[in-house]
Amino acid sequence: MPKYRVVRAALAVAGAVALVAGTSGSAHAADLTLKVKRGGHTVGTMTHLDADPDTFRVCDTRADGYGVTGKLYMYTAGWQLKETQADGGDAGCDSFDYNVVPYVGKYLMKVCWDGPGNVCVKKEFTED
């Protein structure tokens, strides 16, 4: 019988730890990274860092002669382009700041590879 009590206690502790770990990450719940891939390789990323101010980082991750372009849209009676940032041909990433306003509306991040074809990834998000 003591063996079962030890197992129950271990499960209860594991459950409590999982609950705390799951709720402690909510401060950065809006952090988001998009990866655009071509031929099975990641060629670029766009990341939203939910800090004050909100920062959007665009990174060309493959030396293939083409860059990537990231765009931020906001939905207000239709999608409206708010910012555009390209990256490629240099070391490091490029970024821009944009104040994402909580509870105002939907936003859309879109990152595209600037090579031939229409290779893009996009995702809508809101900030609560």
Side-chain angles (χ1 to χ4, degrees):
M1 194 60 116
K3 183 178 181 180
Y4 293 110
R5 287 184 185 165
V6 171
V7 171
R8 280 187 190 163
L11 289 174
V13 169
V17 168
L19 180 62
V20 170
T23 57
S24 65
S26 62
H28 297 287
D31 285 6
L32 174 66
T33 298
L34 300 179
K35 295 180 181 181
V36 62
K37 295 185 177 193
R38 182 169 190 279
H41 301 283
T42 300
V43 294
T45 63
M46 182 175 182
T47 302
H48 170 218
L49 301 170
D50 186 24
D52 193 14
D54 294 271
T55 300
F56 294 84
R57 185 172 51 218
V58 178
C59 301
D60 178 10
T61 60
R62 192 155 180 92
D64 58 6
Y66 300 100
V68 293
T69 301
K71 296 182 179 187
L72 177 67
Y73 297 85
M74 181 179 176
Y75 191 86
T76 51
W79 288 108
Q80 298 178 8
L81 180 62
K82 295 298 180 180
E83 292 283 345
T84 299
Q85 182 64 60
D87 183 54
D90 62 353
C93 302
D94 292 319
S95 63
F96 63 89
D97 293 338
Y98 185 87
N99 186 28
V100 175
V101 181
Y103 307 108
V104 169
K106 295 188 295 185
Y107 293 87
L108 178 113
M109 286 173 41
K110 182 178 181 181
V111 60
C112 297
W113 179 61
D114 296 335
N118 188 20
V119 184
C120 297
V121 177
K122 62 184 176 181
K123 183 161 180 79
E124 291 182 21
F125 69 97
T126 58
E127 184 149 299
D128 303 328

